[in-house]
Amino acid sequence: MEIQKQMEQYIEENREQMLALWERLVNAESYVGEADNVNRVLAMVQREFEAEGFDCRLEDVGSGWGGTLVGTLGAERGGKPILFSGHLDTVFPKGSWGENPFVIREDKAYGPGVLDMKGGVVVALYAVKALNQVGYRERPLKIIFSGNEEKGHINSTGAQVFLEEAKDCLFAFNMETGLADGCLCVGRKGHLGCRIVVNGVESHAGNDFESGRSAIEEAAHKVLAIQALTDLEEGTTVNVGVIQGGTVVNAVPGQCRFEVDIRVAKEEGRRRIKAALPQIVQQCAVEGTSATYEFQGDSPIYETTPEVERFYRFVCQIAREQGLPEPGRRVLGGFSDAAYVSLAGTPVLCSFGVQGQWNHTKREYALVETLFQRANYIAAIVQQSGRF
């Protein structure tokens, strides 16, 4: 308990430094589509972790993308490493929040990526600092921070870096958006996207209606059939979220395009959708029309395995011992790199970052006090990891 108090004292004494780093990271904007800006932020974080003794490298994951930062502290120590994972890219193009966007109002911090997920990186760093302060040397500590998570590692080798580097760890904290109610994420649905193009025959709607074949009419049949693939009991949702078709109101539309968002809780759901959707696309109700499809963004499921359950029970036990409320648990629909950490064989809990709400919107905020609370909590879990 004396060691825990020393770590808490360290966090308390460094509150201003934590806030200052958080501000610098948020103000150094890092939109996923602006690789140079992402790499500058990754370099800032690399310097911070190297100052704590990490041996770091920035992995090139492909042209046009920010890299992936990998680092290890204490590689010579015995036992399996403990991993901190996450990302440093955001969804906001530079300048979209104005100059120096980080701001604190009352108990909340605002800015691009303040919650998703630069606050989580600050939490991880200061948990490590607190552990170093008390002389923690029990096992190696490791980091993997991506620069293109917000695009799901499409057209990059970012996923492969996680699959390789996350192997053989004791457990992992994925420092993603912490939920406002303090729940931890124990599973996430996999994601599958699909773009469909329906081709018809364009004609004048007044002078030559009968010669036309409406792509929009055919798309309407397909949209209803595709939406009907949703199976809530199975944990599968199918949503046509974008549709575009036609040119002018007095023409029978010759083309219609729409995009489908698919979330699956089980691999059987993914297999069912991948088998059923092409059949719907190929079968046309409107004579003279045709359609094509392209699957996109096939991201894996983060499954709630027995080892994830065991890790969750352990962090709840530490919470009780520290006099903290036990975190609830949630399975979420959005993707995170916890899926790749889990596929690498390491038990992982997600949403361990600073808590807040409305990520990916300009309402995004983080609860300031949780920056310090989560750092203390994680340091305690690591310090007691010999009992896991």
Side-chain angles (χ1 to χ4, degrees):
M1 186 59 70
E2 180 61 32
I3 290 177
Q4 181 61 31
K5 289 187 182 301
Q6 291 175 24
M7 292 192 295
E8 290 173 359
Q9 182 179 351
Y10 178 83
I11 297 296
E12 181 64 26
E13 291 174 350
N14 285 274
R15 289 168 68 99
E16 292 304 316
Q17 289 88 335
M18 293 176 73
L19 291 172
L21 176 59
W22 198 11
E23 180 174 7
R24 290 200 303 275
L25 291 179
V26 172
N27 284 342
E29 298 175 77
S30 50
Y31 171 54
V32 62
E34 298 165 352
D36 288 346
N37 292 335
V38 175
N39 283 332
R40 274 194 287 270
V41 174
L42 286 164
M44 291 170 61
V45 172
Q46 179 173 347
R47 289 192 293 271
E48 294 288 341
F49 277 92
E50 286 178 340
E52 291 303 310
F54 278 75
D55 180 17
C56 295
R57 70 184 190 277
L58 187 62
E59 288 275 354
D60 184 351
V61 300
S63 176
W65 298 115
T68 298
L69 180 63
V70 178
T72 304
L73 170 63
E76 73 285 353
R77 301 172 187 173
K80 293 183 175 183
I82 292 172
L83 174 64
F84 299 89
S85 59
H87 66 93
L88 277 154
D89 55 315
T90 78
V91 299
F92 302 103
K94 184 175 177 61
S96 58
W97 287 62
E99 190 175 353
N100 295 326
F102 180 88
V103 63
I104 293 177
R105 300 190 191 100
E106 297 180 348
D107 62 342
K108 297 175 182 175
Y110 298 86
V114 69
L115 175 67
D116 187 13
M117 54 151 279
K118 293 178 177 179
V121 174
V122 176
V123 169
L125 175 65
Y126 273 83
V128 169
K129 283 176 175 283
L131 288 159
N132 280 347
Q133 182 71 14
V134 298
Y136 177 82
R137 300 289 187 275
E138 296 304 313
R139 60 179 66 248
L141 303 177
K142 191 169 186 177
I143 58 169
I144 309 174
F145 293 134
S146 170
N148 75 330
E149 187 269 355
E150 293 293 4
K151 289 294 185 181
H153 307 299
I154 293 173
N155 300 323
S156 87
T157 58
Q160 285 73 22
V161 175
F162 273 90
L163 289 171
E164 182 61 34
E165 295 294 337
K167 288 178 181 176
D168 300 320
C169 293
L170 182 69
F171 53 66
F173 304 95
N174 200 51
M175 304 303 299
E176 268 285 3
T177 300
L179 304 176
D181 61 5
C183 285
L184 295 175
C185 172
V186 299
R188 288 180 180 266
K189 290 184 178 183
H191 173 257
L192 180 63
C194 187
R195 178 175 294 162
I196 296 168
V197 178
V198 181
N199 292 299
V201 178
E202 191 172 26
S203 69
H204 193 285
N207 296 335
D208 198 18
F209 180 82
E210 292 184 358
S211 296
R213 299 292 183 267
S214 173
I216 288 179
E217 181 182 352
E218 178 56 38
H221 288 284
K222 296 189 187 306
V223 167
L224 291 174
I226 289 169
Q227 294 268 158
L229 294 174
T230 292
D231 186 333
L232 296 180
E233 185 174 340
E234 181 184 73
T236 301
T237 59
V238 183
N239 179 64
V240 177
V242 174
I243 188 164
Q244 299 170 319
T247 54
V248 293
V249 70
N250 60 348
V252 175
Q255 190 175 85
C256 184
R257 302 171 298 280
F258 59 95
E259 297 187 31
V260 189
D261 179 274
I262 302 151
R263 308 282 169 156
V264 294
K266 302 174 183 176
E267 284 301 331
E268 64 191 66
R270 194 195 305 269
R271 290 192 294 269
R272 180 177 65 83
I273 295 296
K274 280 194 164 183
L277 199 146
Q279 295 181 28
I280 294 171
V281 172
Q282 292 160 9
Q283 295 171 0
C284 293
V286 177
E287 184 181 356
T289 62
S290 62
T292 60
Y293 70 92
E294 179 186 6
F295 283 119
Q296 301 171 319
D298 198 348
S299 62
I301 299 167
Y302 159 34
E303 295 190 42
T304 311
T305 65
E307 282 300 294
V308 169
E309 294 280 11
R310 178 176 169 235
F311 184 27
Y312 174 72
R313 291 194 298 271
F314 179 67
V315 302
C316 287
Q317 179 182 354
I318 300 301
R320 290 193 299 270
E321 292 174 0
Q322 299 298 319
L324 302 172
E326 286 189 32
R329 51 185 289 154
R330 189 103 46 93
V331 175
L332 300 176
F335 166 78
S336 87
D337 282 320
Y340 292 115
V341 174
S342 183
L343 283 174
T346 291
V348 56
L349 290 174
C350 194
S351 299
F352 241 117
V354 64
Q355 295 166 230
Q357 202 171 15
W358 309 123
N359 51 320
H360 289 201
T361 76
K362 287 198 173 182
R363 292 192 292 167
E364 178 174 327
Y365 74 85
L367 296 166
V368 172
E369 198 61 30
T370 66
L371 189 76
F372 318 116
Q373 293 168 354
R374 281 283 164 95
N376 279 318
Y377 186 24
I378 289 171
I381 294 167
V382 174
Q383 200 271 328
Q384 294 292 325
S385 61
R387 299 160 50 196
F388 178 67

